[in-house]
Structures are given as C-alpha cells and as structure tokens.
Amino acid sequence: MGKDVIVACDFAGAQAVYGFLDRFAGEKKPFVKIGMELFYAEGPEIVRQIKKRGHRIFLDLKLHDIPNTVKKAMAVLSALDVDICNLHAAGTRAMMEAALEGLTRPDGTRPLLIAVTQLTSTDQRSMERDLLIREPLDQVVLHYAATARSAGLDGVVCSPLEAGKIHERFGGDFLTVTPGIRFADGDRGDQKRVTTPAEAKKIGSDYIVVGRPITAAADPVAAYERCVAEFVD
Ligand code: C5P
C-alpha cells in the first residue's frame, strides 16, 4: 500500500460526517478513519454507508479483551469490509495472534491489522504510576512493536517521531500510521508532540492521520489537498 493521508472523521453523528464527505464530491475520495464516537453512535451501518460512497476505511476501535472475544469481534469487522483495523498491543501476543485468526474473508483477503503501542496521552510518569511499567517510554513502544511484529501484525499506530526508529528496527514494510499532525502555521489543539505532513514524510510515516486541521478548516478540501501535496506528492 502506498503513502496516504487518512482523515479522522471525529463527528458525533451520520449527518455531520455525510455533510463533510459531500464536500469531496468529484474530488479524490479521502481515506477515512472512523473512531469509537461515531461507530458507537451510529453502529456498523455508518461503515457500510461510507464504504458505499467509495472511501477506504480505517476502523479505529482499539480492541483489547481475551483472545477468544477479540478473535470473534475481528471476524465481524472483516465482514464489514474495512481496510485497516486495530487493537492494543498490551493485550499480549496471544490476543494479537487470535485477532489475526479472526480476520478472514471468504475470498482469502483480510483488512490490515495494526497495534496501538502506548497511547500518546500516556507519558513516562503515568505509565510508571498507573501501569507499574518502569522502562523508558520509547523502549516500551519498541517492545510492543516487536511483539506486534512477531504476532504477524502489519504495523503500528505511533507518533511520527517514532516512525523512523520503528522502520530502522523492523523494516520498511512494517507500517507506521501516525496521528499528531499539524500544519506549520496551524493550531496544535491538545496534541503535544506534533509534526507537519512534510516532516512526517521525511521521517518515513506510511500513513498520516489528520483530524481537526482538515475537519475544522474553513475549506476542508483545500486543507486535505495541502496535506496530500506535502505528504504524498
Ligand atoms: O484532530 P487530530 O488531528 O488531533 O486527530 C487525531 C486523530 O488521531 C484523533 O481521531 C485521535 O483520536 C487519533 N489518535 C491520536 N493519538 C493516538 C492515537 C489516535 O491522536 N496516539
């Protein structure tokens, strides 16, 4: 799969997301990320409808449960015909292997499966205090990525700042999907460690996940095209 911009459609309901996607009529159809808020509000039908409109979909539900439950849930998500789905690497290698077993379609294809390593909302202090993990955060991220790779997953969600190190260690075909993207002249919002689309390209991210810089822009299509121009072209 080539490099691409994934638009985080963090909208509260179907009408808001359709209104947003309608703006792209006649343009290149963006790769879309559907997260928990929209999925829990609208159910699987929102995935079917956006797929029917011709968008590729990253379904960002971050599964984490016992292996058997995750395996069965992944079978349901495969049938939704999404392109990428994800889980927490903290669920262990057994859970990730079970997830892959569940990701099957009758035609032999399957969605890409990527792992969340440590959420970017977790810092060294909260990881030590709340999770009793005392190793340096960057080592923990690399360890989770190694476990995901050995379980057979296709890549990880990580900060663009970690993408270079992950490719160095695990090779160019292990995907890095990176949120935390802001234009050089844009508002950071609540994101702390940010990079521009151009920097993410230089570091080697495979996919950037961009939400508010596009969804909250006065001209979302122009903002999307600016991301594509900086990151892909
Ligand atoms: O609006 P913004 O560009 O910050 O959106 C980033 C998207 O990526 C959001 O949907 C957010 O939930 C998601 N994300 C993130 N950091 C992670 C994992 C996911 O920002 N570590």
Side-chain angles (χ1 to χ4, degrees), residues 62-74:
K62 300 187 180 71
L63 275 65
H64 188 171
D65 207 317
I66 60 171
N68 185 56
T69 301
V70 170
K71 178 178 171 175
K72 289 185 172 161
M74 286 295 181

Side-chain angles (χ1 to χ4, degrees), residues 100-118:
L100 269 181
E101 282 172 29
L103 274 188
T104 50
R105 295 192 187 114
D107 66 359
T109 63
R110 67 163 175 83
L112 292 171
L113 181 61
I114 60 178
V116 175
T117 53
Q118 276 293 354

